[in-house]
Amino acid sequence: DIQMTQSPSSLSASVGDRVTITCRASQSISSSLNWYQQKPGKAPKVLIYAASRLQSGVPSRFSGSGSGTDFTLTISSLQPEDFATYFCQQSYSTPMYTFGQGTKLEIK
Amino acid sequence: QVQLQESGPGLVKPSETLSLTCTVSGGSVSSGSYYWSWIRQPPGKGLEWIGYIYYSGTTNYNPSLKSRVTISVDTSKNQFSLKLSSVTAADTAVYYCARVGGGYPYFFDYWGQGTLVTVSS
């Protein structure tokens, strides 16, 4: 099985900060990496798919990069509504989809 | 706008079978372009993909749950369902139904709101 490891597990930041979250795969997954945002009590929402493609309707301050085993999600200027938990998900070994453990982004 | 809605009991006894249904509106489970999935999240923890079904009835399951999981589809009602047998407290989780594209890049684009299922006597 492909394991996905996110870092950090939690992060404190301020409005306006630039934030980067990392996701590492246990083996190469090409660009088959998606990012989700989850707010408390809500379902996850896709932000980025195929490592770097912005889902329709998602603000352009979100961006993704990487390929192979190392990927990053960057928020260029944090907004109050961005404080949430973020998950990565690999789709390389379809139909076995696996998620990272999550990164909780909190207000400093 | 596609919408998914989970329904089913919120409390299941240990060793019994958990049964949930996902009703799809604004789209069709008979679409050949998507797979229809179940995903769960134990309280305060991460996401685990359970399995998916295609409109034809083709299924794929997470190997860790395969022996206990059955996913079925009812195209006439535009619904798909999950059965998880021999449940234990470890199966307590929020269960989500979601849609995933039938081709690359395979991401979950629409989700239900989730339903908490507690396993307890």
Side-chain angles (χ1 to χ4, degrees), chain A residues 25-77:
Chain A
S26 60
Q27 66 184 71
S28 177
I29 57 170
S30 186
S31 295
S32 302
L33 192 283
N34 309 311
W35 288 99
Y36 299 83
Q37 176 194 67
Q38 186 179 35
K39 295 183 178 179
K42 301 294 186 182
K45 166 190 167 185
V46 63
L47 301 174
I48 302 286
Y49 63 93
S52 61
R53 300 183 194 176
L54 193 67
Q55 173 69 337
S56 176
V58 174
S60 59
R61 63 181 179 273
F62 291 93
S63 64
S65 65
S67 66
T69 60
D70 295 319
F71 301 84
T72 58
L73 172 70
T74 299
I75 310 172
S76 60
S77 178

Side-chain angles (χ1 to χ4, degrees), chain A residues 31 34 36 38 42-43 91 95, chain B residues 41 49 62 96 104-106 108 112:
Chain A
S31 295
N34 309 311
Y36 299 83
Q38 186 179 35
K42 301 294 186 182
S91 60
Chain B
Q41 185 173 36
W49 174 74
N62 187 324
Y96 295 100
Y104 182 81
Y106 301 107
F108 300 95

Side-chain angles (χ1 to χ4, degrees), chain B residues 17-51:
Chain B
T17 297
L18 177 160
S19 296
L20 296 173
T21 296
C22 182
T23 301
V24 178
S25 57
S28 173
V29 297
S30 297
S31 167
S33 300
Y34 301 101
Y35 296 107
W36 303 92
S37 286
W38 288 97
I39 295 163
R40 70 180 183 178
Q41 185 173 36
K45 296 190 178 180
L47 298 157
E48 180 180 36
W49 174 74
I50 298 171

